[in-house]
Amino acid sequence: MQTERKDHWTRVYEEKAPSEVSWYQSEPEPSLRALDRFGTETSSAFIDVGGGASNLVDALLRRGWRDVTVLDIAAPALEAARERLGSQADTVHWEVADITGWQPSRRYGVWHDRAVFHFLTQPEQREAYRRALLAAVAPGGLVIMATFALDGPEKCSGLPVQRYDPATLSMELGRDFCFIDGWREEHATPWGSSQSFNWCAFCRSA
C-alpha cells in the first residue's frame, strides 16, 4: 500500500507542474491566517506534513521561521520546492517519507497538514498517522489540519478521500489532542471550481 501511494504521488509531480494540481495556491493565505490566529512563535519547530511543492515554506522563511521541516511522500515534489528556494533550501530540513511509516527523530511545536489526512481512508492508516503525530508533537504543541469538509469532494487526484467536520476529526485524533477551534474554507482550484475544506486546530495534551 505504501509503495502504491508513493508511486501515485511521484507520477503526479512528474507529470504536472506544481501550479497544475487542484490544491495549488499562489499564496498560502489560509495556512498563514491559521498561524496568526493562534499566535504561533517563529522560534517554534515547524513541520509541514505533505508539504510537497507548496510555497508555504517560502512564506515561513520570509516571516523569519528558521526551524522548518517539509515532509512528503513524493521526492519530485520536494525537489520542485528546493529548486524554487535556491540557496535558501539549505536552511530547510527535507524528508521523503510516507507519514504512515514515518518515525520522527525529534519533536515539533507546530504540525501543519493541509493535504494528507483525508487520503487515509483505512482505519489502520489513520492509526499509523496518529502514532506519528503523538511521537512528533511536543506537549502543548499546536496541530493545524485541513481536510475536505463533509460537503467537499469525494475524490481528489483520482483517489477516494475521507471527509470530516470538527467533531469527526476530533474523534479520530483522540483525547491526546484537545480541540481548540474549527472553521471552513472554500478553496478555488486553478481551473475555477470550489472545494469545501474543514480546518481544525488542536493542542497536544501535556
Side-chain angles (χ1 to χ4, degrees):
M1 183 66 75
Q2 287 187 18
T3 300
E4 291 176 6
R5 285 199 297 272
K6 182 176 181 179
D7 290 346
H8 173 86
W9 293 113
T10 297
R11 283 195 304 272
V12 166
Y13 283 101
E14 287 177 342
E15 296 171 0
K16 295 183 178 182
S19 60
E20 296 174 336
V21 295
S22 65
W23 52 92
Y24 172 74
Q25 294 174 319
S26 58
E27 292 293 335
E29 291 299 334
S31 299
L32 296 177
R33 284 197 300 269
L35 294 173
D36 292 341
R37 185 174 188 154
F38 301 106
T40 54
E41 299 289 340
T42 58
S43 58
S44 298
F46 185 103
I47 182 165
D48 189 14
V49 176
S54 164
N55 52 24
L56 176 59
V57 61
D58 311 51
L60 293 175
L61 294 179
R62 287 196 299 270
R63 285 182 164 213
W65 292 76
R66 289 295 176 263
D67 188 351
V68 178
T69 297
V70 183
L71 180 148
D72 201 273
I73 196 171
L78 296 184
E79 187 56 35
R82 290 176 65 100
E83 290 181 4
R84 186 181 66 239
L85 284 170
S87 60
Q88 279 191 300
D90 293 337
T91 68
V92 178
H93 183 61
W94 308 91
E95 290 218 29
V96 179
D98 183 325
I99 193 62
T100 65
W102 181 59
Q103 296 182 340
S105 59
R106 57 170 302 194
R107 288 193 158 184
Y108 301 87
V110 182
W111 172 290
H112 174 272
D113 170 7
R114 180 180 167 260
V116 175
F117 192 72
H118 57 212
F119 285 108
L120 305 180
T121 57
Q122 301 301 315
E124 61 271 20
Q125 296 171 340
R126 297 193 292 273
E127 179 56 31
Y129 180 106
R130 185 174 177 278
R131 286 196 299 269
L133 187 64
L134 276 169
V137 179
L142 177 67
V143 176
I144 298 173
M145 293 177 63
T147 66
F148 286 129
L150 295 181
D151 58 343
E154 296 181 354
K155 286 188 172 183
C156 180
S157 189
L159 299 177
V161 298
Q162 186 80 24
R163 299 177 294 179
Y164 295 93
D165 62 9
T168 53
L169 188 57
S170 295
M171 287 180 62
E172 287 287 349
L173 296 194
R175 65 183 62 185
D176 294 299
F177 297 92
C178 301
F179 177 74
I180 303 173
D181 201 1
W183 62 98
R184 288 173 57 91
E185 174 211 354
E186 294 300 321
H187 167 66
T189 69
W191 43 90
S193 63
S194 180
Q195 297 177 333
S196 298
F197 273 77
N198 164 61
W199 283 78
C200 290
F202 302 87
C203 179
R204 169 76 154 89
S205 301

